[in-house]
Amino acid sequence: MTDRMLDFYDRVSAGIELILITDADDPATLSCLRDLSKRGFRCYGITRPVGKGASVKAGISLARADEYVMLDADLPVSPGDVERALSELERGAALVYAHRLTREHGSLRLFLSHGYNALARLLFRTGVSDHQAGFKAFDRRVAKLALEEVRGDGFEFDTELIALAKRVGEIKPLPVKWEEKRKKKEEGPRKRQGTTEGQRGNRKKRGDPPKSTLFPFRATLSMLAELLMFEYLLITKRGVKHVKAG
C-alpha cells in the first residue's frame, strides 16, 4: 500500500499536500502510515472509531488549502481523475463528485444503494445518482460547510455535504472508472464497530467482487435515519426568520 500511495502521489501535479487519516485499529494500515510519515507526509491515527464523516472533518481542519480532495485510501481512481476534478474547481464548480461508471458490488448492496440515492434526491433535490462514492473535490466554501453545518459523522456525511454544497455553488459529476483495491479480508470474526463476519456462509468464490465491510441493511437504515433528521433541521432552519429589535 505504501508503494502504491507514493506512486499515486508522484503522478499527481506538484503543489498538493497529502494528509492521511484513519480511525481503524488495523496493524497494516498503521504500519503504512508510519512509513509514509517518515517520508514527510502528514499522517494521523484517531484512537477510537469515529466514522467516515468525522475522519474527513478532521482532515479538513488540518489542511491548509483553497481546494480539497477527499479520496478513499485504496485509491479507486486514477491520478488523472484527481487532475480533472481540480480543473473543474478552477472553472468555478463548488463541488465535484465521482460518478462511478462501474461498481463491484453485489446485488443487495446495489439495490440498497439505489434506494438510498433515490430518497436522498427526493429529500434534498440534488439530482445526484451516486452520493456515496469516496472521491470528491470541493472548494473552501464547501470545506467551511463541512466543518460547521454537516451533522453526520458516518457515511451519511457525503450526502449532507452535497446537499449543502448545492446551495453555495455548482456541483458537477465526474465520470470515473472505479476500481476498489481493498485487500481481501481474512475469514473470521471482526471487531470493527461491533460488526462480525463469521466463517459460515461468508466464503468468497474465485472471481467474486470485493465485499463491503458494512452490514448493508443496518448501515442503510442508519444513514436514512440521519438524513431524515438532517432534512428536518434544514426545514426548521429555513423557517426561522430573524427580526431586528426596535
Side-chain angles (χ1 to χ4, degrees):
M1 180 178 176
T2 302
D3 292 338
R4 189 169 74 243
M5 190 74 70
L6 289 171
D7 178 65
F8 188 94
Y9 183 74
D10 288 341
R11 291 164 59 192
V12 178
S13 65
I16 293 179
E17 179 186 32
L18 183 64
I19 298 176
L20 298 104
I21 293 184
T22 182
D23 70 340
D25 186 16
D26 176 66
T29 300
L30 296 176
S31 176
C32 175
L33 293 187
R34 282 192 290 268
D35 291 341
L36 290 169
S37 66
K38 294 176 183 177
R39 299 170 185 257
F41 294 98
R42 299 172 65 192
C43 303
Y44 301 88
I46 301 175
T47 57
R48 61 183 177 84
V50 294
K52 174 184 178 179
S55 298
V56 173
K57 291 175 189 176
I60 293 173
S61 68
L62 292 165
R64 302 180 292 268
D66 294 319
E67 297 171 340
Y68 300 76
V69 175
M70 179 184 79
L71 179 62
D72 287 348
D74 64 333
L75 307 176
V77 300
S78 71
D81 293 328
V82 175
E83 298 280 5
R84 289 194 296 135
L86 291 172
S87 295
E88 292 292 350
L89 293 182
E90 292 173 1
R91 284 194 281 267
L95 179 143
V96 181
Y97 62 93
H99 172 67
R100 293 176 280 195
L101 298 176
T102 57
R103 297 182 64 177
E104 298 177 324
H105 296 145
S107 56
L108 175 60
R109 176 81 183 275
L110 288 174
F111 172 77
L112 293 173
S113 176
H114 289 319
Y116 173 88
N117 282 298
L119 180 59
R121 287 194 300 273
L122 178 65
L123 289 175
F124 306 116
R125 301 176 181 84
T126 62
V128 173
S129 61
D130 188 1
H131 296 80
Q132 295 302 108
F135 171 42
K136 293 176 178 66
F138 44 89
D139 63 18
R140 182 179 289 182
R141 294 172 299 169
V142 179
K144 188 173 185 292
L145 291 174
L147 294 177
E148 297 180 358
E149 296 196 35
V150 171
R151 182 177 182 274
D153 286 336
F155 282 86
E156 67 281 352
F157 169 87
D158 299 73
T159 305
E160 295 182 17
L161 186 67
I162 289 174
L164 291 169
K166 198 172 188 298
R167 299 185 173 196
V168 299
E170 182 183 15
I171 62 173
K172 297 197 68 173
L174 187 77
V176 298
K177 181 180 179 182
W178 193 266
E179 296 182 6
E180 293 191 2
K181 304 181 182 69
R182 296 190 183 100
K183 67 180 181 180
K184 183 179 178 181
K185 302 290 183 181
E186 294 182 0
E187 293 179 351
R190 288 173 48 86
K191 298 180 180 179
R192 176 77 163 84
Q193 294 186 333
T195 64
T196 57
E197 290 180 347
Q199 292 181 349
R200 184 184 306 174
N202 284 311
R203 298 185 183 276
K204 290 181 65 177
K205 297 179 181 179
R206 183 174 299 175
D208 281 354
K211 289 189 176 181
S212 170
T213 57
L214 293 168
F215 275 148
F217 275 120
R218 185 171 65 180
T220 303
L221 289 175
S222 176
M223 289 189 294
L224 290 176
E226 171 61 33
L227 288 190
L228 291 172
M229 177 58 70
F230 184 65
E231 172 64 3
Y232 169 76
L233 293 174
L234 288 180
I235 291 173
T236 55
K237 184 177 180 179
R238 288 195 295 264
V240 173
K241 294 183 179 180
H242 297 278
V243 180
K244 292 183 178 180

